[in-house]
Amino acid sequence: MAQDYVCVGVEGLLKGAVYSASNVVEWDGPKATMVMGGGVHRIPGGRLVTQLTEGSAKAVMKDGKPVGVESVGKGIVKFASGPFAGLNGKTVGFVTKPINPIRFNLEFTAD
């Protein structure tokens, strides 16, 4: 299953950056493996391109009903410019937590 999404950074290095991404996820019941993915963070004067290297996800249930998906994984910065230039070649980690079935929080970290 392919997942496309767009979000905006609200704090830290990615504050104000628009992130457009796509992942391909293979589900096996309530658990999934991210097969491929990546995205682009954009701000005036800077770009950050990431490529997924590993990731997993699972459905989050409440009262027997799905309320969203949480995920965790790693990627590599394939290209970075402007304020992001110091991240070129670095490994990034991510964690998502559901807000509701169609929204989630995404937290990035860099090594």
Side-chain angles (χ1 to χ4, degrees):
M1 176 172 97
Q3 299 173 310
D4 298 317
Y5 55 95
V6 175
C7 53
V8 177
V10 294
E11 61 185 47
L13 177 62
L14 302 176
K15 184 174 183 172
V18 175
Y19 181 52
S20 302
S22 184
N23 295 318
V24 175
V25 182
E26 183 176 76
W27 285 93
D28 183 11
K31 296 184 179 182
T33 301
M34 294 178 177
V35 181
M36 64 179 245
V40 179
H41 292 82
R42 300 177 317 277
I43 61 170
R47 299 287 184 269
L48 176 74
V49 179
T50 58
Q51 180 181 5
L52 179 75
T53 57
E54 63 182 81
S56 62
K58 67 179 181 176
V60 176
M61 309 293 280
K62 184 175 181 180
D63 300 325
K65 296 180 182 179
V67 294
V69 173
E70 59 185 31
S71 64
V72 62
K74 293 182 181 178
I76 188 161
V77 176
K78 301 299 279 186
F79 173 81
S81 65
F84 302 135
L87 295 173
N88 261 317
K90 298 226 182 224
T91 299
V92 291
F94 68 88
V95 175
T96 68
K97 300 282 183 190
I99 296 171
N100 62 42
I102 61 169
R103 294 188 68 200
F104 57 91
N105 283 331
L106 170 63
E107 181 179 333
F108 270 99
T109 56
D111 64 357

